[in-house]
Amino acid sequence: MTSTAPAVHLRTGLRAAGYSDDEVRQRVRAGELGVVRRGAYVDGPLPDDHATRHLTAVRAASEQLCADAVFSHASAALLHGWPVWGLPLGAVHATRSRRTGGRVDPAVHVHAARLRDDEVTWLDGVLVTDAPRTVADVARTAPFTQAVVVADAALASGTVDADSLARAIARQKGWPGAPRARRVLAFADGGSRSVGESRSRVAIAQAGLPAPELQHEFVDRGGAHVGTVDFWWPRKRVLGEFDGLVKYGRLVPPGRTAADVLVAEKAREDALRDLDLRVLRWLWSDLTDFRATAARLRERLS
């Protein structure tokens, strides 16, 4: 479990430490304790970040759920370290290996589904579905784009490959959402290196545009490395770049300023244009409605 998730105090532990229920309520009202879920608290306010808050809820649930509950779906994806863009994080997901007995409430979604022993692993002290099973579960149950984001990230991390995903999905033949999972697997590509790139690939495909090559490397006429681009259509010498703007802001490399990065990126793009390449960039906002960007791409690829 991520070390950024704060420690959780259960009501039973607070009682054992000498706090009465009234004192616990007083500490909550004073902001000294944040309520994770019924009977579970953290020191101070809950984390602002949705992912960290969810992992904190996982930590609390691990102390309160039945011993055979295995964290799964979006919860497991976060525990494996993958982005879960667009997936609801209000409830913790866990699976119990049984045919019936699933339940859904605002805090926990317990799935009832067969779990093989080799589909379960330990991560930081809690039972979690292993990487292939986690991707398969998300691919069956999540919308296509969100599932592709998870599958791409899992492939890029090296913790799964196409064969292990195919086996995990084949085990779920006949389960609800299995055809959707096979579609996600057919589309997933570890060449996508970010949520924005995965979302871009889906948008490009949905616009009916040709599939690009991913992470293509360019060298200049002297053989020096110019850069690696997100998307490349070689027949028309068109390259596409998703620009999340993060590299110009809070994730600037140590020892460099945002201005340094911006100047370097401008020089890189000029060098690519010197190779007689047509460059098209788009932003997060363009992914909300990709039609204008798709039209610009279609014109360059025609």
Side-chain angles (χ1 to χ4, degrees):
M1 191 171 307
T2 178
S3 59
T4 59
V8 171
H9 308 293
L10 297 184
R11 183 183 295 273
T12 52
L14 292 171
R15 284 174 176 165
Y19 291 94
S20 68
D21 287 346
D22 283 343
E23 287 175 313
V24 170
R25 286 191 286 268
Q26 288 170 5
R27 293 187 67 190
V28 170
R29 287 194 295 268
E32 297 174 7
L33 291 176
V35 180
V36 182
R37 50 181 281 145
R38 183 180 178 87
Y41 311 88
V42 293
D43 291 320
L46 293 176
D48 291 330
D49 175 72
H50 291 299
T52 306
R53 183 177 293 198
H54 187 86
L55 287 169
T56 304
V58 168
R59 187 185 295 276
S62 70
E63 302 287 345
Q64 296 176 315
L65 289 177
C66 296
D68 66 342
V70 177
F71 293 105
S72 60
H73 297 75
S75 298
L78 274 177
L79 287 162
H80 281 287
W82 308 326
V84 291
W85 172 83
L87 294 181
L89 295 179
V92 168
H93 287 263
T95 296
R96 301 181 70 185
S97 188
R98 53 183 60 193
R99 295 191 178 190
T100 61
R103 64 181 174 87
V104 180
D105 64 43
V108 178
H109 184 163
V110 177
H111 303 260
R114 185 175 67 253
L115 270 174
R116 295 167 47 128
D117 289 344
D118 61 355
E119 293 177 325
V120 178
T121 188
W122 287 92
L123 284 179
D124 293 322
V126 298
L127 282 174
V128 184
T129 50
D130 73 348
R133 172 62 186 258
T134 299
V135 175
D137 283 340
V138 171
R140 282 191 304 107
T141 58
F144 181 75
T145 303
Q146 288 87 326
V148 167
V149 166
V150 171
D152 283 357
L155 288 165
S157 74
T159 53
V160 300
D161 57 26
D163 289 340
S164 64
L165 289 185
R167 289 193 296 271
I169 291 171
R171 291 172 177 174
Q172 299 181 353
K173 182 179 181 181
W175 293 19
R180 182 192 312 167
R182 290 192 292 271
R183 178 176 167 234
V184 170
L185 174 60
F187 190 82
D189 193 319
S192 285
R193 301 298 168 82
S194 70
V195 172
E197 290 178 29
S198 294
R199 290 184 61 194
S200 295
R201 288 202 311 115
V202 174
I204 289 165
Q206 290 177 340
L209 295 166
E213 296 181 13
L214 305 181
Q215 308 304 324
H216 186 82
E217 295 188 9
F218 285 95
V219 297
D220 63 20
R221 293 177 176 84
H225 179 75
V226 174
T228 302
V229 301
D230 300 335
F231 308 104
W232 169 236
W233 289 268
R235 292 185 60 186
K236 297 295 183 178
R237 297 190 65 76
V238 172
L239 66 87
E241 294 268 72
F242 167 73
D243 192 345
L245 298 180
V246 171
K247 56 181 173 289
Y248 308 135
R250 61 184 175 85
L251 294 186
V252 171
R256 304 183 70 187
T257 67
D260 293 335
V261 176
L262 188 59
V263 169
E265 183 62 21
K266 177 64 166 59
R268 171 181 175 275
E269 185 164 325
D270 288 344
L272 289 169
R273 293 186 189 278
D274 287 344
L275 297 177
D276 193 29
L277 306 174
R278 291 187 287 176
V279 181
L280 182 64
R281 308 180 79 94
W282 56 88
L283 308 174
W284 281 111
S285 56
D286 297 313
L287 294 176
T288 303
D289 184 347
F290 201 68
R291 286 175 295 182
T293 303
R296 291 159 60 203
L297 262 177
R298 189 172 289 108
E299 185 274 328
R300 284 164 173 75
L301 294 173
S302 62

